[in-house]
Amino acid sequence: MVKATRIHAGVLFLMELAAAGLLKDDVSPDEGGSVGDTISHPLTLVQRLEALLVQGNGSDVSLRVETPNADEVKVIQAHSLVLSLQSPVFEQMLQSRNSSTVVLRESSDCAAVFDKFIRYLYCGDISLRLDQATPLHKLATKYQVLSLQQGVTHYMTQNLARDSPSGQVAGWYEYALQAGDVPLRDSCLQFLAWNLSSVLQSGEWATVSSQLLMTLLQRSDLVLQSEMELFMALEAWMIHNQPDGLTAENALRAVRYAMMPPRELFRLQTQSTVLARYQESVRDLLYMSYQFHSASPLQMAKYFDVNCSLFVPRNYLSSVWGSPWIINNPTRDDRSTSFQTQLGPSSHDASRRVTWNALFSPRWLPLSMRPMYTETGAMQPTRVEGGRPRIIITPATSSADFAGVNFQKTVLVMAQQQGRLVVKHVYNFHQSTEESGDFLSEANLYRRTSEYLADGSLFLHVVVKPLYQTLITTKN
């Protein structure tokens, strides 16, 4: 059974009815000067309005809904007052009509949910499924029903993680891009980028457009197992969609081959049918990647721009790059953990490891927010009540090998949505989450039902990304 969700806008609807004189509250002073009590039956009013729609009593307009091929016709008996109240488009349309019948031409998907749309105008609420969200948003946008448009947008952003046979996020992104719904577009794109590893394994990946594909490939905040996982998914997409030559070349050039070990690069060159076809288009990138792995990063930095995307890691979940961190009962006290990463993605550093110490404090207060102690010799506590969560990540030891390298730390914060653990937030910093300013600011870790807690635990993943400094000398 497909679960439906209901969007309510009853309060707004009743306010509009009141403004039109259909619903009035007695707030005028009586003869004694006191304010009178109010008797209100909004549910009864909504029920009667719904009965008007269902039975067609007092109808003064017929809405004839036709599809482009005229293979489906739907006739709805409606009331011009209600339609005009809820939609300025209907108001203008009804004022200029020449007969009691108004012909509306809608796409097949919109025609299928048009009765739900009209019912919302009467009752202020609507039940919908994932596959009905886009056509309802189209109708709300077309007829300028702002409350429904905002409600469906909210529904979509809250259901990005919902499982469906073919997936819905990529389709919602494409629609939002076309409709100009910036909040929905950005929410979809962020979800796809931060949960890309699971998207790549779903049936939705094959439906991704070439425009969305390039948008994703150009991002450095993608969350996935490795660059090889991304290449394999790209190859499957190209085999399924057969893009034109320019699109294929641009997509393959967006892969960060330097983030793959030489043995994987060699395997690609000998086994990948897609790379065999377009190898000339990426030959220079493969050559630079082999150079990157054969020389020290400092040596490379003297001759190449190591800040270009080819040498910039994404958010890889592989153990080479970081570690998961599950914090049980995160509000209790400070927690610490240690983990190791490879010094850098270059094979020159493959045998070198860096040990990192991480400290999680659930109630940390910045110095500016701590109470002042004026007594001589009084010690100021390092952790007090009423603070906010913080993570500090530092290397266990310093090393000359760190020269020319900045280590960016990234903390992925998981949340439970629709029964799945998904990446909810991504925080980047050098040493402390204080640098981001809003670490877990939305999370109420004291509430057991918080979406940030799974079985009472906070699920994090720490990624350490070495970023190299270019040492190219400028010639005068």
Side-chain angles (χ1 to χ4, degrees), residues 299-318:
Q299 191 70 16
M300 281 287 295
K302 294 179 181 179
Y303 302 100
F304 297 98
D305 179 11
V306 290
N307 289 322
C308 72
S309 61
L310 182 67
F311 305 109
V312 176
R314 308 186 203 262
N315 292 322
Y316 303 122
L317 300 176
S318 167

Side-chain angles (χ1 to χ4, degrees), residues 131-177:
D131 61 317
Q132 297 173 330
T134 299
L136 283 169
H137 195 282
K138 287 180 183 177
L139 291 172
T141 303
K142 176 179 179 179
Y143 294 98
Q144 297 181 22
V145 184
L146 184 60
S147 57
L148 180 58
Q149 186 179 5
Q150 293 173 340
V152 177
T153 294
H154 179 74
Y155 167 83
M156 296 164 97
T157 57
Q158 295 301 307
N159 284 273
L160 296 173
R162 179 83 68 85
D163 279 329
S164 67
S166 59
Q168 67 278 349
V169 185
W172 286 353
Y173 168 84
E174 300 291 353
Y175 166 70
L177 189 66

Side-chain angles (χ1 to χ4, degrees), residues 364-386:
W364 175 265
L365 273 181
L367 289 173
S368 60
M369 298 177 62
R370 296 181 189 177
M372 300 297 294
Y373 291 83
T374 56
E375 295 183 16
T376 304
M379 295 184 64
Q380 186 169 335
T382 58
R383 184 174 59 84
V384 294
E385 297 299 322

Side-chain angles (χ1 to χ4, degrees), residues 211-228:
Q211 184 274 337
L212 175 55
L213 176 75
M214 291 305 304
T215 299
L216 289 170
L217 290 176
Q218 292 164 2
R219 293 176 67 121
S220 295
D221 63 341
L222 301 183
V223 177
L224 67 167
Q225 290 297 323
S226 64
E227 196 72 15
M228 175 57 77

Side-chain angles (χ1 to χ4, degrees), residues 200 205-206 213 217 227-243 248 251-252 255 257 267-278:
L200 297 181
W205 176 246
L213 176 75
L217 290 176
E227 196 72 15
M228 175 57 77
E229 181 187 32
L230 182 60
F231 180 88
M232 298 302 291
L234 173 60
E235 184 173 49
W237 182 90
M238 292 176 65
I239 292 173
H240 181 271
N241 291 280
Q242 294 295 312
L252 287 170
V255 175
Y257 299 99
R267 182 165 64 87
L268 286 185
Q269 287 185 281
T270 56
Q271 298 180 11
S272 171
T273 56
V274 168
L275 201 59
R277 181 179 178 183
Y278 294 99

Side-chain angles (χ1 to χ4, degrees), residues 160-383:
L160 296 173
R162 179 83 68 85
D163 279 329
S164 67
S166 59
Q168 67 278 349
V169 185
W172 286 353
Y173 168 84
E174 300 291 353
Y175 166 70
L177 189 66
Q178 177 188 5
D181 191 323
V182 176
L184 178 59
R185 180 202 65 189
D186 292 347
S187 295
C188 292
L189 186 58
Q190 179 177 281
F191 180 88
L192 291 169
W194 290 357
N195 298 276
L196 188 61
S197 194
S198 61
V199 174
L200 297 181
Q201 307 302 321
S202 71
E204 186 173 18
W205 176 246
T207 68
V208 166
S209 68
S210 57
Q211 184 274 337
L212 175 55
L213 176 75
M214 291 305 304
T215 299
L216 289 170
L217 290 176
Q218 292 164 2
R219 293 176 67 121
S220 295
D221 63 341
L222 301 183
V223 177
L224 67 167
Q225 290 297 323
S226 64
E227 196 72 15
M228 175 57 77
E229 181 187 32
L230 182 60
F231 180 88
M232 298 302 291
L234 173 60
E235 184 173 49
W237 182 90
M238 292 176 65
I239 292 173
H240 181 271
N241 291 280
Q242 294 295 312
D244 61 80
L246 181 60
T247 299
E249 291 178 8
N250 289 337
L252 287 170
R253 290 191 64 82
V255 175
R256 303 181 180 183
Y257 299 99
M259 298 299 106
M260 302 179 188
R263 65 181 182 277
E264 292 186 354
L265 288 174
F266 182 75
R267 182 165 64 87
L268 286 185
Q269 287 185 281
T270 56
Q271 298 180 11
S272 171
T273 56
V274 168
L275 201 59
R277 181 179 178 183
Y278 294 99
Q279 185 155 338
E280 287 301 318
S281 302
V282 296
R283 182 181 294 275
D284 60 323
L285 300 181
L286 294 174
Y287 180 67
M288 290 178 64
S289 297
Y290 280 121
Q291 288 182 308
F292 175 74
H293 287 293
S294 61
S296 71
L298 280 178
Q299 191 70 16
M300 281 287 295
K302 294 179 181 179
Y303 302 100
F304 297 98
D305 179 11
V306 290
N307 289 322
C308 72
S309 61
L310 182 67
F311 305 109
V312 176
R314 308 186 203 262
N315 292 322
Y316 303 122
L317 300 176
S318 167
S319 59
V320 174
W321 299 88
S323 172
W325 190 6
I326 302 174
I327 303 176
N328 298 318
N329 193 8
T331 60
R332 191 180 67 200
D333 49 28
D334 290 359
R335 312 294 174 81
S336 62
T337 189
S338 297
F339 60 94
Q340 286 189 330
T341 63
Q342 188 172 302
L343 176 62
S346 169
S347 290
H348 185 273
D349 297 326
S351 61
R352 302 178 185 180
R353 293 290 184 271
V354 181
T355 300
W356 300 96
N357 295 327
L359 174 66
F360 173 81
S361 300
R363 293 175 297 277
W364 175 265
L365 273 181
L367 289 173
S368 60
M369 298 177 62
R370 296 181 189 177
M372 300 297 294
Y373 291 83
T374 56
E375 295 183 16
T376 304
M379 295 184 64
Q380 186 169 335
T382 58
R383 184 174 59 84

Side-chain angles (χ1 to χ4, degrees), residues 77-96:
Q77 302 299 324
H79 304 79
S80 56
L81 175 61
V82 177
L83 299 179
S84 299
L85 251 172
Q86 294 285 58
S87 164
V89 175
F90 271 131
E91 181 180 20
Q92 183 176 5
M93 189 182 298
L94 293 170
Q95 286 176 351
S96 59

